[in-house]
Amino acid sequence: MAFADNLRQLPAITHIAALHLLDDSGTVVATIPNAPGKAGSVTVYNALAAKHGSINVAAAEEGLQIFAEHTDDAKARPGAHPNIDRLLEVIASGKGFTVQINPA
């Protein structure tokens, strides 16, 4: 399925202003705002964290499937899709993130 089709199957994010990704020490290392161009990533990361408890290797692998055609583009153009690049790094390093929701 295409990314847009996959998104329609995930929970709504109207209650989220942003997601914060925290490293092992609890430091915020990234923030993904619920804004145009980023809302799809917030939707994916929120669903992955709800299912897996964090953005771990299993969550990252599932996330690459959800991002569908954008995953291939991210692999071909590193830096073009930083939220997919982050999932690839989780898989490569084995180091994930705790997700903290900033409510709307």
Side-chain angles (χ1 to χ4, degrees), residues 21-30 97:
L21 303 179
L22 291 76
D23 65 13
D24 288 342
S25 68
T27 301
V28 174
V29 295
F97 302 100

Side-chain angles (χ1 to χ4, degrees), residues 11-70:
I13 57 164
T14 55
H15 64 289
I16 298 173
L19 291 180
H20 302 294
L21 303 179
L22 291 76
D23 65 13
D24 288 342
S25 68
T27 301
V28 174
V29 295
T31 298
I32 309 171
N34 184 359
K38 301 292 182 194
S41 290
V42 172
T43 301
V44 172
Y45 274 68
N46 179 61
L48 294 172
K51 179 177 179 180
H52 296 274
S54 66
I55 304 300
N56 55 32
V57 172
E61 289 171 345
E62 183 176 346
L64 295 180
Q65 296 300 313
I66 294 170
F67 276 111
E69 69 276 7
H70 297 296

Side-chain angles (χ1 to χ4, degrees), residues 2-12 39-44 66-67:
F3 178 58
D5 297 324
N6 292 338
L7 278 184
R8 283 191 281 277
Q9 297 179 23
L10 300 177
S41 290
V42 172
T43 301
V44 172
I66 294 170
F67 276 111

